[in-house]
Amino acid sequence: QVQLVESGGGAVQTGGSLRLSCGSSELLMDDYAIGWFRQVPGKEREAVVCLSRHNGRTYYAESVKGRFTVSRDNDRNTVDLQMNSLKPEDAGVYNCAADDLGCRPNIWYYYDTYDYGGPGTQVIVSS
């Protein structure tokens, strides 16, 4: 089964930065819309951003606009999430997911609508 792989999580203090990466040894990432999601125990998974195929339109959750930036690195076959000015409420397990239909309006923020996902990487933000 195709699986994405996330990396780059860790522990930072409030105001710090982390850069997450999402890659695959089986998929050409540029052919897929890539969504980033996060989840904390006891809460529903939250959509963070969706990057359309071939560097098309990007959709950000309001809570991360101006602080998070998503980009593709086609040389590495990854989609990276730069997270700046981190807050305690940004903590959680971050998963990426791939959708060959693109970032569909009103759908992109539902993780289960994506074709492939990964195990996630943990982000801890201390106050």
Side-chain angles (χ1 to χ4, degrees):
Q1 185 176 355
V2 175
Q3 190 171 55
L4 305 179
V5 178
E6 304 92 342
S7 61
V12 296
Q13 292 187 327
T14 296
S17 298
L18 282 173
R19 188 176 183 88
L20 308 183
S21 286
C22 171
S24 172
S25 60
E26 296 158 284
L27 302 179
L28 185 60
M29 298 291 279
D30 199 34
D31 286 345
Y32 292 82
I34 302 298
W36 279 98
F37 298 80
R38 63 189 181 193
Q39 189 171 26
V40 295
K43 290 190 176 181
E44 289 191 4
R45 184 178 275 118
E46 176 188 13
V48 175
V49 61
C50 187
L51 173 61
S52 300
R53 294 173 295 182
H54 311 308
N55 276 339
R57 186 172 177 177
T58 304
Y59 301 80
Y60 288 96
E62 285 296 326
S63 59
V64 305
K65 278 184 180 178
R67 300 187 297 121
F68 290 15
T69 303
V70 68
S71 61
R72 290 187 186 275
D73 186 333
N74 289 336
D75 289 339
R76 293 169 52 231
N77 196 37
T78 63
V79 172
D80 301 329
L81 183 64
Q82 178 66 41
M83 306 187 298
N84 298 328
S85 302
L86 283 163
K87 306 175 182 179
E89 53 264 41
D90 294 318
V93 175
Y94 280 69
N95 298 93
C96 63
D99 190 337
D100 65 357
L101 295 179
C103 297
R104 292 170 282 171
N106 300 319
I107 293 176
W108 71 266
Y109 34 79
Y110 294 109
Y111 180 79
D112 291 343
T113 64
Y114 288 70
D115 301 307
Y116 309 107
T121 185
Q122 179 85 47
V123 171
I124 299 170
V125 185
S126 58
S127 56

